[in-house]
Amino acid sequence: GAVVSQHPSWVICKSGTSVKIECRSLDFQATTMFWYRQFPKQSLMLMATSNEGSKATYEQGVEKDKFLINHASLTLSTLTVTSAHPEDSSFYICSASPPGQNIQYFGAGTRLSVL
Amino acid sequence: KNQVEQSPQSLIILEGKNCTLQCNYTVSPFSNLRWYKQDTGRGPVSLTIMTFSENTKSNGRYTATLDADTKQSSLHITASQLSDSASYICVVSAWGTGGGNKLTFGTGTQLKVEL
């Protein structure tokens, strides 16, 4: 199956700093990638849809200035958590679908801990 | 509002036993239903995907069923193993506009397999 790589897998940062998370499709091109957030024992919540070459589409309640998304190429999307605070601590997961396939492949996730 | 409900919320079984997880959904217009396995601290991994016309889909010891009339699905795990301990998430896809399907995630069933 297709592979989606996420980096880093775990990051600890100080409050007020910014953190960048990368999502790469390793063996296919993805015009669309998705960013999710997951709190402990809860389901994945879609944050935004990342579109290559255009602005991301954010879900209701997600601050676009807080969570910056850049999809500069067909294989890479980045999520930057700006001025992170402890309440931003969560598990962030990206996904992508190979062209013509109606299935999303998920990255392994990034655990963000803000001190 | 699109919703996916799963039951039970958690389940403990002995190794070697079988179990069945349930998923009820109200998602429209229905595109497909997927079952994912998510290990703790990892991204979800696809087990099965079924479209409207499919009733059963197997993947090794995993067998998923779909009743599109009653909008119910089940995931049956045969001869459980310790490595089956994980969260099992039912995800229903609705046909979306702009080339992207909208996913609705269930909250998952936390399965623990014990000796």
Side-chain angles (χ1 to χ4, degrees):
Chain A
V3 179
V4 174
S5 174
Q6 225 175 304
H7 178 81
S9 57
W10 190 21
V11 58
I12 302 174
C13 70
K14 292 183 179 180
S15 185
T17 61
S18 294
V19 174
K20 179 184 285 188
I21 302 170
E22 293 185 349
C23 180
R24 295 181 184 271
S25 54
L26 296 187
D27 49 2
F28 66 96
Q29 293 183 331
T31 56
T32 303
M33 290 185 176
F34 303 89
W35 286 97
Y36 297 86
R37 183 173 181 176
Q38 186 178 33
F39 290 105
K41 297 186 179 182
Q42 294 187 22
S43 188
L44 281 73
M45 294 297 296
L46 180 65
M47 297 175 65
T49 302
S50 172
N51 305 298
E52 188 270 335
S54 65
K55 291 182 179 180
T57 304
Y58 290 82
E59 295 299 300
Q60 191 173 12
V62 178
E63 300 175 57
K64 62 180 181 180
D65 295 328
K66 172 77 172 177
F67 300 99
L68 300 180
I69 291 173
N70 185 290
H71 195 153
S73 77
L74 287 172
T75 59
L76 173 64
S77 174
T78 61
L79 169 68
T80 301
V81 183
T82 62
S83 187
H85 291 285
E87 57 265 30
D88 297 323
S89 298
S90 187
F91 194 54
Y92 293 87
I93 306 174
C94 71
S95 72
S97 292
Q101 290 191 33
N102 193 17
I103 184 169
Q104 287 192 17
Y105 292 92
F106 289 86
T110 297
R111 180 157 303 284
L112 171 64
S113 297
V114 184
L115 304 178
Chain B
K1 182 182 178 181
N2 291 339
Q3 285 186 314
V4 175
E5 295 182 354
Q6 290 186 242
S7 62
Q9 189 173 20
S10 62
L11 182 63
I12 300 175
I13 62 173
L14 294 176
E15 187 181 29
K17 298 296 184 183
N18 305 334
C19 66
T20 301
L21 314 180
Q22 301 291 341
C23 172
N24 297 332
Y25 64 91
T26 54
V27 175
S28 182
F30 178 84
S31 173
N32 59 67
L33 183 147
R34 313 108 180 268
W35 282 93
Y36 284 89
K37 177 186 179 185
Q38 185 178 22
D39 293 310
T40 301
R42 307 288 294 176
V45 175
S46 179
L47 295 175
T48 63
I49 178 171
M50 290 182 292
T51 58
F52 185 87
S53 59
E54 296 176 297
N55 302 119
T56 305
K57 183 77 67 83
S58 291
N59 178 4
R61 295 180 295 103
Y62 301 104
T63 299
T65 65
L66 174 65
D67 186 332
D69 292 330
T70 61
K71 298 183 177 174
Q72 295 179 327
S73 175
S74 67
L75 179 69
H76 187 74
I77 304 175
T78 304
S80 61
Q81 300 176 359
L82 296 178
S83 59
D84 292 333
S85 297
S87 178
Y88 291 83
I89 306 172
C90 176
V91 183
V92 183
S93 175
W95 289 108
T97 58
N101 288 355
K102 203 81 169 180
L103 299 184
T104 302
F105 289 78
T107 53
T109 292
Q110 190 66 43
L111 173 66
K112 185 175 183 181
V113 180
E114 296 182 337
L115 291 172

